[in-house]
Amino acid sequence: MSFNIAIDGPAGAGKSSVARAAAKKLGYIYVDTGALYRAVGLKFLKSGADTALDCDISAVLKSTVVEIKFINGEQRVLLDGCDVSDEIRTPEASKMASAVSAKPEVRAFLLEMQRKAAADSNVIMDGRDIGTVVLPDADVKIYLTASPEVRAERRFKGTSVSYEAVLADIISRDSADMNREIAPLKKAEDAVLADTSDCGFDESVELIVKIIKERVG
Ligand code: DC
């Protein structure tokens, strides 16, 4: 019997860093599902597609193998046998991840892999549709968010882009994620809302750990 914790929320809410730290504290495995969409996006990038995805999506997926491995508790993502964990973080891979994630064939392609990862271990899984689609029976569901301005502020620090440009990007990503037809980002009815607009990083981790402990002991 394993415990499954679903954490969903918009881009830039700090989901992955908070979920990773909370998983460490609780001895859970952290599963970053965005990395899977990024790996598929990279495959399409490598196959010469652009974000319009005017190609035979099913044919590309048929020749695609995405795997996740855990090395010292850290998730690595393999695309066609190669570790692409770093390559998937480029801006180009991010854009393609967003484009492929709107395609039903891609979501179906990654669904079982995510469920399988959750079946065998105690996991904290983060994404956009974990509580609503991937793990509808998760033991705890958390919707982690912060205001667009606060998320932009956090992203903006240490970059050479203007705050206004970062904020505009966040607002447009929110709109794309929340308004897509398939598996849109939304709070599951039974998810706990965790708004970290007024929390620092450590406080956000404490909040998530507390929510989880209160529910699964
Ligand atoms: O969380 P991230 O930025 O690494 O996610 C990359 C892209 O994948 C992002 O555009 C949203 C999408 N995604 C998704 O549609 N469903 C998930 N469960 C995780 C990510």
Side-chain angles (χ1 to χ4, degrees), residues 96-124:
M96 280 302 268
S98 178
V100 299
S101 73
K103 297 291 176 190
E105 301 94 319
V106 173
R107 304 205 74 86
F109 177 74
L110 294 175
L111 185 61
E112 280 317 308
M113 190 185 316
Q114 295 171 81
R115 288 191 175 148
K116 200 170 168 299
D120 315 323
S121 330
N122 290 339
V123 296
I124 296 186

Side-chain angles (χ1 to χ4, degrees), residues 33-34 37-38 97-98 101 107 127-130 173 180:
T33 63
Y37 288 90
R38 286 169 179 270
S98 178
S101 73
R107 304 205 74 86
R128 304 294 192 284
D129 63 338
I130 309 305
R173 278 240 254 164
R180 71 177 172 220

Side-chain angles (χ1 to χ4, degrees), residues 74-90:
E74 279 294 314
Q75 175 181 311
R76 307 298 295 178
V77 180
L78 276 62
L79 172 64
D80 300 333
C82 296
D83 189 329
V84 292
S85 309
D86 299 322
E87 221 182 319
I88 57 173
R89 300 290 157 195
T90 62

Side-chain angles (χ1 to χ4, degrees), residues 17-117:
S17 41
V18 169
R20 182 181 288 111
K24 206 167 215 173
K25 283 197 173 206
L26 293 164
Y28 281 41
I29 286 178
Y30 164 61
V31 182
D32 166 13
T33 63
L36 304 175
Y37 288 90
R38 286 169 179 270
V40 173
L42 188 63
K43 174 68 178 238
F44 279 82
L45 208 56
K46 284 178 189 287
S47 70
D50 61 26
T51 51
L53 292 172
D54 286 333
C55 56
D56 186 341
I57 292 178
S58 301
V60 176
L61 291 177
K62 263 198 193 117
S63 68
T64 301
V65 181
V66 174
E67 297 161 277
I68 38 181
K69 289 216 161 121
F70 294 92
I71 298 173
N72 299 328
E74 279 294 314
Q75 175 181 311
R76 307 298 295 178
V77 180
L78 276 62
L79 172 64
D80 300 333
C82 296
D83 189 329
V84 292
S85 309
D86 299 322
E87 221 182 319
I88 57 173
R89 300 290 157 195
T90 62
E92 292 73 28
S94 291
K95 284 206 183 75
M96 280 302 268
S98 178
V100 299
S101 73
K103 297 291 176 190
E105 301 94 319
V106 173
R107 304 205 74 86
F109 177 74
L110 294 175
L111 185 61
E112 280 317 308
M113 190 185 316
Q114 295 171 81
R115 288 191 175 148
K116 200 170 168 299

